[in-house]
Amino acid sequence: MMLEPGSPGWRGRTLSRRAALRGGLLGGLSLFLPFAGNKRQLPVPSGPGGLSFPPVPPGAGDAVRVADGHVAQVLLRWGDPVLPGAPPFDPRRQSARAQAMQFGYNADYVGFIPLQQGGSASHHGLLVVNHESPNARLMLPDYDPDDPTAEQLDIQLAALGVTFVEVYSDVDDRWKVRSDSPRNWRVTGLSPTLLSGPAAGHPWTRTSADPDGTRVLGMLANCSAALTPWGTLLTSEENFHLFFGDRNDFPEDDPRYWIYIDYGLPLKGTQFGFEKADDRFRIDKEPNESFRFGYQVEIDPFDPSWIPRKRTALGRLRSEGASVALTATGQAACYYGDDIMFACVYKFVSRHAMAALDRQHNLRLLDEGTLFAARFNADGSGDWLPLVAGRGPLNRANGFPSQAEVCLNTIRAASLAGATRMDRPEDIVIHPHTRKVYIALTKNPLRGDPTVQRSEPDAANPRKNNRAGHIIELEEDRADHGATRFRWRIFMLCGDPAAPDSYYGGYPKSLVSRMACPDNMVFDKDGNLWVATDGQADVFGDADALFAIPTEGPERGFARRFFTGVPGAEITGPCFTPDCSTLFVSVQHPGEGGTLSEPISSWPDGVQPPRPAVVAIRALDGRQVGKAAAGG
Ligand code: FEO
Ligand code: CA
Ligand code: CA
């Protein structure tokens, strides 16, 4: 019987388990507390998924730290040359042209595409890295937030997007960057992209620079991403709304007015200030430019001549990142969330099946299909609600005369359809063996706030003032990613492990590593879930970190801290090589919250400015990461 949070009556069960533990009345509850009789020992590896590292202490100080038996190597820093002819990094003489040939800022997603098969598959690959956001105060020594220059704007745009760069590990197992490789290229906030799918060319996508509404300058806020089964990258434009300001006196009777509000576009200035240097980012001057961002963008990693496509059929959101799998009948199924408080979880299922050898066919898969939003029912069941114009409330009277409006105003469509408003859905990942789907809900301190409408806790978002977040496990009917019904349960409730409303697989506080605000996630090949956090400092006062958590067997839910970051930084983009002998992570926005004159971090080089970077982690004994012998 599944006695986990999310199943009916779990709150009472939780209390009674703890009461039973205190009284030594384990009895039938030992299923939940497998090590309760031996509390001072760590669980031993329990089979093929077993992890064998002692947790690192909570992060403190201006250095990263990795579990014993492993070594962490800084591989790629913001500004490192990645294109032939790129100048060396010099923050005092930076230009947009130089930045476009260098590694971008604030690395988030990391993907690894093997370039050789067989035994070399995990030692030579194309590394794919997203660059999510700029921070002019740490990037540009002469930046004046009241009067940014056009060149400073272009430097920041050139620091966004994606880097594709060839990497290899040599005889001493250190990773190297092949900066002169013809395979290296960048997509930036200034690269040409195309809108495709139902919303392409809609009147709301047309601008003075692009009267057809199909050709867009750049991508913004690419947070996480996925590699598709047909070999492309699907990268998510997340917090695009933070880039467009100055709505000013936009008329309320224009339907776009309410869409700006639903998507959180600020009334006046933005935090990045781009609108001060380019009218493209001013809503009062260019009211449709923001409708051209917020998409899942498909890119061919090996063909820079194929212009990246913004797949509008998947909706317009502030999505952290997608995961892509195939249904039982071979269609693409893409899972993703809208990373905002009280926003929803989505799935897109393509109309056509993937054809293994037909590249042209596969490059059209994501333009046609069905978009769904998730409803998590209180009884542990769930429904994927189709967001289809003309069906149910998605009619002309409600502002949905065609599917294009569903794709442009997806938040409203999901709300009308009755989808569940979640606690900020971040990464969504798929277990490599069970096909269960794991959803990180990073936090929602406004849950249950009496001043916020429709904020009451529900079964899937059970905590008021959810500062530490939780993780949901979703099982599709028949384990088919094409299903329209599912079962769900809460896998983990993060926060102080001693708190009665936290849940770490039933393990006592003395054993687990405290964890808050789950964000990026990845599975290793054995089905252990690796979770990076973004908010550990706010909840516990220690650095964001990477945790490993078995999902099956007796260690299910047992969280161990593996790697810790530096002040101001979150950990992002965990990614394994196919054999899991290397784990790549990004240390994003080190020193955020400080300035060049009042720094809070000098990582990784001990000087200013701090540099967001990708780190490669290996086991000293060459074994799988997380399974190394301590001290080996
Ligand atoms: Fe870019 Fe959802 O964090
Ligand atoms: Ca994130
Ligand atoms: Ca985040």
Side-chain angles (χ1 to χ4, degrees):
M1 182 182 176
M2 297 296 270
L3 289 176
E4 290 190 315
S7 35
W10 72 268
R11 282 172 186 277
R13 292 284 187 186
T14 303
L15 290 172
S16 64
R17 281 208 311 279
R18 289 176 191 279
L21 177 60
R22 279 198 299 272
L25 302 170
L26 290 172
L29 297 171
S30 58
L31 179 68
F32 285 88
L33 299 163
F35 297 96
N38 191 9
K39 284 195 288 182
R40 279 190 288 275
Q41 287 187 13
L42 291 169
V44 294
S46 58
L51 298 164
S52 59
F53 65 89
V56 290
D62 198 17
V64 300
R65 182 160 179 185
V66 68
D68 270 5
H70 298 79
V71 61
Q73 171 202 346
V74 175
L75 177 63
L76 270 164
R77 300 160 299 178
W78 161 53
D80 282 346
V82 290
L83 262 60
F89 179 63
D90 183 348
R92 288 168 303 281
R93 296 158 56 91
Q94 186 62 295
S95 68
R97 187 168 176 277
Q99 177 64 79
M101 294 191 285
Q102 298 168 337
F103 194 62
Y105 201 72
N106 272 348
D108 196 291
Y109 171 78
V110 181
F112 180 88
I113 306 173
L115 289 172
Q116 295 179 23
Q117 297 308 311
S120 305
S122 293
H123 297 274
H124 182 200
L126 191 68
L127 208 64
V128 185
V129 183
N130 275 359
H131 305 290
E132 180 176 2
S133 56
N135 184 340
R137 287 170 178 79
L138 291 177
M139 294 171 72
L140 303 165
D142 301 323
Y143 182 72
D144 175 357
D146 295 324
D147 188 21
T149 67
E151 176 68 6
Q152 288 173 331
L153 170 62
D154 284 352
I155 290 170
Q156 294 175 75
L157 287 166
L160 302 180
V162 184
T163 296
F164 300 92
V165 59
E166 188 173 339
V167 296
Y168 62 99
S169 62
D170 55 17
V171 284
D172 63 3
D173 272 344
R174 280 188 68 79
W175 282 89
K176 299 233 167 73
V177 174
R178 188 163 283 165
S179 56
D180 61 350
S181 168
R183 293 185 169 108
N184 298 355
W185 63 298
R186 292 280 326 276
V187 181
T188 75
L190 294 164
S191 301
T193 67
L194 292 174
L195 289 175
S196 71
H202 185 279
W204 292 345
T205 67
R206 299 173 193 163
T207 64
S208 54
D210 175 33
D212 294 336
T214 55
R215 308 184 82 83
V216 183
L217 191 60
M219 308 187 296
L220 291 173
N222 292 83
C223 194
S224 197
L227 295 168
T228 68
W230 54 96
T232 58
L233 175 75
L234 193 64
T235 172
S236 304
E237 293 184 305
E238 194 193 36
N239 290 316
F240 76 92
H241 61 295
L242 301 179
F243 290 83
F244 297 91
D246 290 350
R247 284 194 279 124
N248 297 323
D249 301 320
F250 201 83
E252 273 189 47
D253 58 356
D254 186 313
R256 291 172 296 180
Y257 176 88
W258 297 105
I259 301 176
Y260 297 138
I261 290 176
D262 278 351
Y263 279 79
L265 280 85
L267 178 64
K268 297 285 184 190
T270 69
Q271 70 180 77
F272 298 119
F274 286 13
E275 74 281 0
K276 293 176 185 156
D278 186 344
D279 284 352
R280 179 159 83 99
F281 297 97
R282 286 187 64 153
I283 293 169
D284 58 354
K285 293 279 174 66
E286 204 58 79
N288 290 338
E289 185 69 8
S290 65
F291 284 88
R292 295 139 62 84
F293 295 85
Y295 298 104
Q296 308 285 347
V297 190
E298 188 168 16
I299 303 175
D300 185 338
F302 295 102
D303 186 1
S305 73
W306 190 78
I307 299 173
R309 303 297 204 273
K310 299 196 176 193
R311 299 299 190 188
T312 68
L314 279 66
R316 179 167 161 267
L317 299 162
R318 288 103 357 138
S319 170
E320 167 77 14
S323 277
V324 187
L326 295 180
T327 70
T329 45
Q331 290 111 316
C334 311
Y335 295 88
Y336 40 96
D338 186 16
D339 178 14
I340 294 288
M341 290 184 285
F342 305 109
C344 302
V345 168
Y346 296 83
K347 177 169 80 167
F348 175 84
V349 179
S350 67
R351 178 176 176 198
H352 298 291
M354 184 183 90
L357 300 176
D358 189 342
R359 177 175 183 268
Q360 291 310 317
H361 169 88
N362 296 335
L363 288 178
R364 291 192 295 269
L365 278 181
L366 299 184
D367 278 344
E368 219 180 327
T370 305
L371 176 61
F372 300 91
R375 181 175 62 203
F376 295 82
N377 303 315
D379 64 357
S381 68
D383 300 283
W384 289 110
L385 308 169
L387 306 182
V388 177
R391 212 187 275 192
L394 303 186
N395 53 36
R396 182 176 292 273
N398 281 329
F400 297 97
S402 76
Q403 191 64 19
E405 286 78 14
V406 174
C407 299
L408 291 163
N409 192 7
T410 311
I411 296 172
R412 174 99 177 123
S415 174
L416 283 172
T420 304
R421 291 148 46 87
M422 310 296 286
D423 285 350
R424 276 192 62 187
E426 287 267 17
D427 244 358
I428 302 181
V429 292
I430 301 169
H431 193 292
H433 308 307
T434 67
R435 295 191 211 147
K436 291 177 188 169
V437 177
Y438 292 76
I439 305 166
L441 288 314
T442 196
K443 63 180 167 187
N444 185 354
L446 294 183
R447 178 69 70 182
D449 186 320
T451 66
V452 179
Q453 287 186 343
R454 298 175 59 209
S455 69
E456 310 75 37
D458 57 33
N461 303 277
R463 294 196 289 196
K464 289 184 177 176
N465 185 21
N466 185 8
R467 294 174 63 230
H470 58 292
I471 299 175
I472 283 180
E473 180 183 75
L474 182 156
E475 272 185 274
E476 298 277 27
D477 268 9
R478 309 176 307 284
D480 179 3
H481 296 300
T484 55
R485 290 186 59 80
F486 57 85
R487 303 287 307 171
W488 66 271
R489 62 192 68 85
I490 290 178
F491 172 65
M492 189 163 184
L493 286 158
C494 307
D496 179 356
D501 64 350
S502 294
Y503 183 74
Y504 286 71
Y507 281 95
K509 175 190 177 186
S510 58
L511 288 183
V512 298
S513 299
R514 67 191 187 194
M515 191 176 133
C517 306
D519 190 333
N520 288 132
M521 303 191 292
V522 71
F523 275 102
D524 65 25
K525 64 191 176 79
D526 297 322
N528 297 303
L529 184 64
W530 294 67
V531 182
T533 63
D534 178 14
Q536 198 85 3
D538 294 340
V539 176
F540 299 127
D542 50 57
D544 275 312
L546 180 70
F547 299 79
I549 311 167
T551 53
E552 302 286 331
E555 293 178 33
R556 175 180 162 87
F558 180 86
R560 263 182 280 210
R561 194 182 297 100
F562 177 76
F563 175 84
T564 58
V566 297
E570 68 175 286
I571 305 303
T572 58
C575 164
F576 286 97
T577 52
D579 66 0
C580 294
S581 63
T582 296
L583 167 66
F584 299 103
V585 297
S586 304
V587 178
Q588 189 183 136
H589 52 74
E592 185 179 76
T595 62
L596 292 171
S597 55
E598 294 183 53
I600 62 168
S601 172
S602 302
W603 190 84
D605 299 326
V607 296
Q608 292 302 303
R611 296 169 74 179
V614 172
V615 172
I617 297 169
R618 289 176 300 102
L620 289 170
D621 61 7
R623 294 167 67 181
Q624 187 174 328
V625 170
K627 292 190 169 185

